[in-house]
Amino acid sequence: MPSTVSAEGPPADPPELLLRDFEPRPQLVVSTTHPDKPRFPVIDAHNHLGETFGGGWIHQPVAELLDILDRAGVRLLVDLDGGWGESILEEHLDHFKAASPDRFLHFGGGDWGQWPEQGSGFADWAAGRVREQARRGAQGLKIWKGLGLQVRDHKDQLVAVDDQRLDPIWAAATEIGLPVLIHVADPVAFFDPLDACNERWEELRAHPDWHFPSPPFPPFLSIVEAFKRLVLRHPGTTFIGAHVGCYAENLNWVSDLLDQAPNLYVDIAARMAELGRQPYSARRFFLRHADHILFGTDLPAAVSCYRVHYRFLETADEYFAYDPVGAATQGRWQIYGLSLPDDVLEKVYHLNAEAVLLGRSRSGSAAL
Ligand SMILES: [Zn+2]
């Protein structure tokens, strides 16, 4: 008989608790470290300064953004929101780069919606836009996840990521020396049914437009396999695979591709939660591919956000929230620090980005 039984009988069961109200507080007592500044200067190689993502900095004073970057130890920020039309790119160049030429770098983009109008000449037309954007100051080309998921040609057929008709676009980027930052697919769970097994259920419920169930969307693997073929077929083109090569859930898959494709780099933007829940695999991945990983956040610039990234990469802290305000927005788990060695940290923080984005030698660490 349990000792909790009183003279009045057994205690009543506690009331049912909804998952959304369940906020367990870890009672672990372990050492914690909170780096204020990164151990080396940082390049945030994946961010957005436009209207939709990144906090809408295009409408705010650059001095305020620079103040945040200074306090966070971020030397250079890559803005992927140069858009397709030259007017958006020029607006960003005027607002940010003109104010502080050494602190910002802007990528152009693509307007797939022009395919019906341009017909079979679309890729040549698009390659011309890439050249024009570079002439005006774009320092890279951003390809968004619509390619492979939604982009349709002039015959209303879905276009695969490795569709050979797009080759003139990659050729133009290669000829000019622009890196191509490409984001295909999304977290694997975004392609799964929205049921009790989906590890991103809460996020997908909050953002139903992020759900790409297959069918009608192509399976996740068919998209990333097409990305792999694209990268391998264009060894002269420098690709940056956003979000850990678009498959952070499977670092062995990304690692195999990096082994085969010296023209491929990956950024870690928006994947701290994914990497931090697999610290042994992630640390091995960073050590093996230290020359091909770029720091990036994909989050509105905030000192607290940068600091949690530094805690993740630099410390051996255990089981901490990946979101500075503690919200488990990318899955109900906590993360572990990777305690990366200095030589790896310096490459990831800025040397690799300098090599890919600015064409500087990786040994020239005095640049920043
Ligand atoms: Zn992004």
Side-chain angles (χ1 to χ4, degrees):
M1 184 65 66
S3 59
T4 51
V5 175
S6 68
E8 293 84 41
D13 287 338
E16 296 276 349
L17 181 64
L18 293 174
L19 182 58
R20 66 168 174 257
D21 297 326
F22 182 54
E23 295 174 5
R25 292 181 192 168
Q27 297 298 340
L28 277 177
V29 181
V30 289
S31 69
T32 59
T33 330
H34 294 281
D36 286 340
K37 290 267 189 173
R39 226 176 280 162
F40 301 95
V42 156
I43 294 177
D44 185 345
H46 185 140
N47 213 304
H48 300 269
L49 298 175
E51 297 252 7
T52 314
F53 305 105
W57 282 103
I58 187 71
H59 301 304
Q60 295 171 58
V62 178
E64 286 179 25
L65 176 56
L66 287 172
D67 180 58
I68 292 172
L69 300 180
D70 286 344
R71 284 190 286 132
V74 177
R75 182 65 188 78
L76 175 71
L77 184 141
V78 177
D79 166 34
L80 301 177
D81 285 352
W84 186 250
E86 286 76 28
S87 62
I88 299 174
L89 174 67
E90 298 218 327
E91 188 186 1
H92 282 237
L93 289 167
D94 285 350
H95 190 72
F96 300 103
K97 198 155 182 90
S100 195
D102 299 333
R103 304 296 295 275
F104 300 104
L105 195 147
H106 303 278
F107 275 41
D111 181 3
W112 305 106
Q114 290 289 322
W115 204 320
E117 195 177 316
Q118 300 296 332
S120 54
F122 171 76
D124 287 327
W125 173 83
R129 307 318 315 155
V130 170
R131 288 192 187 90
E132 178 61 18
Q133 285 202 325
R135 199 183 63 74
R136 296 189 186 214
Q139 288 176 272
L141 172 63
K142 165 74 192 296
I143 302 295
W144 198 59
K145 68 183 178 188
L147 179 61
L149 269 177
Q150 295 139 334
V151 171
R152 292 184 175 272
D153 66 11
H154 56 293
K155 294 179 178 163
D156 203 32
Q157 296 297 305
L158 191 70
V159 177
V161 172
D162 64 331
D163 191 314
Q164 299 198 5
R165 290 175 295 174
L166 299 175
D167 285 359
I169 300 175
W170 319 130
T174 310
E175 171 197 313
I176 306 163
L178 295 186
V180 178
L181 190 145
I182 180 163
H183 168 192
V184 302
D186 246 344
V188 180
F190 287 14
F191 291 78
D192 289 340
L194 190 55
D195 60 20
C197 299
N198 195 308
E199 64 177 354
R200 307 287 281 266
W201 189 91
E202 287 159 301
E203 188 180 5
L204 287 171
R205 186 158 186 269
H207 302 280
D209 53 322
W210 295 356
H211 193 208
F212 305 109
S214 172
F217 292 95
F220 172 86
L221 268 180
S222 76
I223 299 175
V224 292
E225 288 292 340
F227 165 65
K228 178 194 247 179
R229 291 192 295 273
L230 172 73
V231 168
L232 293 174
R233 204 176 69 223
H234 296 277
T237 306
T238 299
F239 288 99
I240 302 169
H243 313 307
V244 197
C246 313
Y247 200 0
E249 294 90 337
N250 187 344
L251 294 180
N252 285 332
W253 187 92
V254 184
S255 188
D256 284 348
L257 180 53
L258 282 165
D259 282 342
Q260 295 175 61
N263 56 319
L264 176 65
Y265 294 77
V266 299
D267 71 45
I268 63 168
R271 291 297 180 272
M272 182 168 53
E274 199 59 62
L275 294 166
R277 68 166 168 165
Q278 46 178 330
Y280 307 128
S281 299
R283 194 171 195 280
R284 273 198 305 275
F285 181 81
F286 272 85
L287 296 189
R288 179 171 179 87
H289 300 290
D291 290 333
H292 285 257
I293 300 174
L294 309 182
F295 179 90
T297 62
D298 203 17
L299 291 166
V303 176
S304 60
C305 165
Y306 283 115
R307 284 181 179 159
V308 75
H309 280 80
Y310 307 152
R311 188 181 182 196
F312 164 60
L313 294 169
E314 296 182 19
T315 82
D317 285 3
E318 298 170 281
Y319 202 71
F320 56 95
Y322 53 80
D323 186 299
V325 297
T329 47
Q330 291 186 313
R332 279 184 170 261
W333 55 78
Q334 310 253 19
I335 62 169
Y336 302 80
L338 299 185
S339 189
L340 294 177
D342 278 358
D343 60 328
V344 175
L345 266 181
E346 190 173 18
K347 289 176 179 176
V348 171
Y349 274 159
H350 72 93
L351 293 181
N352 294 340
E354 284 178 25
V356 179
L357 304 169
L358 306 172
R360 288 184 187 148
S361 151
R362 245 185 296 264
S363 58
S365 63
L368 280 178

